[in-house]
Amino acid sequence: MQYQKLPFACLLVTVFCLSGQFNAQAKDITLPPDGMQLKASDLPGYFKAQVNCVACHSAEYMAYQPPTAPRAYWDAMVKRMKSVFKAPIDDADMPAIVDYLAKTYGNEQSK
Ligand code: HEC
């Protein structure tokens, strides 16, 4: 009688182990939870950055970049996010995002 429950128990153990494994994999790319928002702006890239740049990490990563960083630095950064981390950023959105970043976090800040 009780052996009939064995397959179910095996299934549970398997699911448990698999989910544990997936969790372990996810941990490699999960960054510490923090809630820093992107700096508000009227630039069109602000909205695009909100869509494309804070899915994996918060705006803290942008805030900690040197304010002297030139446009080319941000351009390389956005491209790196796409090529290295497979960020689903549309190439057409990149110039606007780079523009926003350079003017908001980089050396083109007016304030
Ligand atoms: C697919 C996930 C993902 C998306 C989307 C993403 N990033 Fe990242 N980003 C990462 C990871 C992972 C790191 C950590 C890299 C490291 O620790 O070296 C990172 C790090 C950074 C850093 C810190 C500096 C560095 O080189 O590590 C900056 C700045 C940054 N991202 C900016 C951006 C911008 C701007 C966008 C939008 C264009 C963006 N990220 C979108 C995954 C992503």
Side-chain angles (χ1 to χ4, degrees), residues 3 7 20 26 29 31 34 42 48 64 72 76 97 107:
Y3 287 112
I29 51 159
L31 301 159
D34 55 61
D42 292 332
K48 292 182 194 295
Y64 291 161
I97 295 173
N107 71 350

Side-chain angles (χ1 to χ4, degrees), residues 33-57:
D34 55 61
M36 198 184 280
Q37 308 282 308
L38 285 167
K39 285 188 212 166
S41 163
D42 292 332
L43 295 167
Y46 171 47
F47 174 71
K48 292 182 194 295
Q50 280 183 309
V51 175
N52 289 289
C53 300
V54 286
C56 303
H57 50 71

Side-chain angles (χ1 to χ4, degrees), residues 11-110:
L11 185 73
L12 272 185
V13 168
T14 308
V15 169
F16 184 76
C17 292
L18 282 178
S19 60
Q21 220 170 33
F22 286 132
N23 280 342
Q25 279 173 354
K27 261 179 205 139
D28 294 336
I29 51 159
T30 302
L31 301 159
D34 55 61
M36 198 184 280
Q37 308 282 308
L38 285 167
K39 285 188 212 166
S41 163
D42 292 332
L43 295 167
Y46 171 47
F47 174 71
K48 292 182 194 295
Q50 280 183 309
V51 175
N52 289 289
C53 300
V54 286
C56 303
H57 50 71
S58 82
E60 203 170 335
Y61 278 59
M62 284 62 127
Y64 291 161
Q65 299 308 302
T68 51
R71 181 166 287 256
Y73 175 90
W74 294 104
D75 188 59
M77 183 68 75
V78 172
K79 286 179 179 150
R80 192 167 93 88
M81 290 301 132
K82 181 163 182 173
S83 61
V84 180
F85 303 119
K86 311 291 172 223
I89 307 165
D90 197 329
D91 284 357
D93 288 337
M94 285 190 180
I97 295 173
V98 171
D99 187 63
Y100 162 76
L101 292 169
K103 288 178 179 164
T104 313
Y105 294 97
N107 71 350
E108 293 178 33
Q109 297 176 58
S110 47

